[in-house]
Amino acid sequence: MLDQPIVMLDFETTGLSPAMGDRITEVAALRIVGGEVVERYVSLINCGVRIPSFITGLTGITQSMVDTAPPVDQVVPQLLDFIGSDPLSAHNASFDEKFLRAEAERLTLAPRHASLVCSLKLSRRVFPTLGSYKLGQLSGALGIQFRSAAHRAEADAEVAAKLLIHIGQHLRATYGIRQVDTDLLVSVNKLAAAKVPQFLQKRGQPV
């Protein structure tokens, strides 16, 4: 459970770096309230760029799919409005946030999210003994199933949202933490892994 709204974000892109000219091809943003996804914004995106063949092989997103998708100058403002000032989360959050900021800047806009929570970093700190923290392997280890193909924005965001909810439930059950809020998650993100159990025990109640 999570005690305040938070938006889980996932982009599919043409590559790894907006600074090198890579662009977004698909987005999913899922608003989590009270441990459930209550609202979502999902769209393919036409940035007027070529889709590399290896990206089509990885994601299934083709040139024709983005060529007929809504234009980026329509999608990004709608996305920023959807996120608003709610906290933002993503799996490997620095990747998605840098694309969000880069695409917003192209339109002389700016994101307004209150804070950023990385579910990958959280997982490393809360479940330190797992073998892999890639979303597919991590979700499998925790019993979280993909409903559709990985490497599509909505499917990845859905699993990452379930992961974040799972972490919230784990913190309540294991440490007796009554209020799992963004401030707590951001604090755990910033801690060295070895310090996390003691920090959480101090924040919790006997279980």
Side-chain angles (χ1 to χ4, degrees), residues 6-157:
I6 186 167
V7 176
M8 180 60 70
L9 179 70
D10 188 84
F11 283 119
E12 300 303 328
T13 69
T14 61
L16 298 177
S17 173
M20 298 297 291
D22 292 316
R23 304 295 300 275
I24 56 177
T25 59
E26 187 177 42
V27 64
L30 279 56
R31 195 182 320 280
I32 305 166
V33 179
E36 294 183 0
V37 175
V38 299
E39 192 178 9
R40 62 187 66 209
Y41 179 86
V42 180
S43 183
L44 287 161
I45 306 157
N46 185 355
C47 285
V49 296
R50 185 183 66 83
I51 307 301
S53 58
F54 78 92
I55 292 292
T56 297
L58 178 67
T59 67
I61 297 172
T62 65
Q63 190 69 53
S64 62
M65 289 168 66
V66 298
D67 285 347
T68 56
V72 65
D73 60 1
Q74 173 184 319
V75 173
V76 168
Q78 290 176 350
L79 174 63
L80 294 174
D81 286 345
F82 178 87
I83 296 168
S85 60
D86 281 348
L88 192 65
S89 182
H91 202 69
N92 192 16
S94 61
F95 173 87
D96 294 278
E97 190 191 37
K98 73 183 177 183
F99 273 96
L100 179 66
R101 292 192 180 280
E103 294 292 352
E105 187 176 347
R106 285 174 175 268
L107 301 172
T108 64
L109 300 171
R112 296 182 289 116
H113 54 277
S115 54
L116 184 67
V117 174
C118 180
S119 59
L120 187 153
K121 287 183 179 179
L122 270 181
S123 300
R124 287 185 183 276
R125 285 151 179 75
V126 176
F127 307 116
T129 61
L130 297 181
S132 172
Y133 296 90
K134 292 182 178 180
L135 192 57
Q137 289 93 324
L138 178 61
S139 60
L142 297 174
I144 301 168
Q145 293 185 339
F146 277 90
R147 291 185 179 177
S148 54
H151 300 301
R152 290 298 300 269
E154 188 171 17
D156 287 357

